[in-house]
Amino acid sequence: MVVKVYKTAEEIGKAAAAMYAAQVIKKPDSVLGFATGSTPIPTYKSIIELYNEGVIDFSQVTTFNLDEYSGLDGTHDQSYRYFMMQNLFNHINVRKDAINIINGNSGDDEKACKEYEERINKAGGIDLQILGIGNNGHIAFNEPADYFPNETHTVKLTESTIEANKRFFNSADEVPKYALTMGIGSIMRARSIILIATGSAKAQAIYDSVKGNITPNCPASVLQLHNDVTFLVDEAAAAKL
Ligand code: PGA
């Protein structure tokens, strides 16, 4: 595990975007994993800049996203599909049919999860996956639990996550109560992983992930077992290290 500390969110975004550029230059038909949330936004801005400068060509890549809310259509402005289209995919030359986001509105979440995991495997696995981290140490929607879930599955969101995400909705009541998410195994099978975090609210989760015991009580702690993971964090998130 490599931990790099930066002064600003913009610097983290540039560093993460450079890792995507390196990956796609090395392997133009890379399978790229993306994440939603506030933290990756500067990364996506920098990726778009690199695309506009001709540094990255996404025409051959395949993408997978970590998770999606249950019960929201992809056109809902809080769905993760909508977020990805607005913040990244509409601005780069990724083929629309190469974008994979779990369908949270199929009416059969279990089937959607199973199909998604199969699609990741059929694509040959994920080459480079970016992760945010929850204040409680969650990665994707893998919340603290008493085991590490392996494959893509449905989850009931914790109060802490609903509380953290209500800022995007009119009220906590409107936040979906369930989500579909890649499992810890799905994430760990990615060949390279970047985890990004900014702000003091993430400091304990970063400490527990980097220095704590490996435990499903802090899902991100499992990353200590991965052989190619880079944490890009700001000083506030690194404060307890
Ligand atoms: P954030 O979410 O980037 O909006 O803080 C990260 C996460 O919950 O994984």
Side-chain angles (χ1 to χ4, degrees), residues 11 31 82 89 126 128 133 224 236:
E11 284 171 354
V31 179
Y82 186 89
F89 297 145
I126 294 168
L128 177 62
I133 185 170
Q224 293 175 34

Side-chain angles (χ1 to χ4, degrees), residues 36-40 131-135 138-140 161 165 167-168 202:
T36 53
S38 309
T39 319
L131 302 172
I133 185 170
N135 298 349
H138 75 207
I139 44 177
T161 298
N165 288 7
R167 66 192 193 275
F168 301 114
K202 302 287 170 72

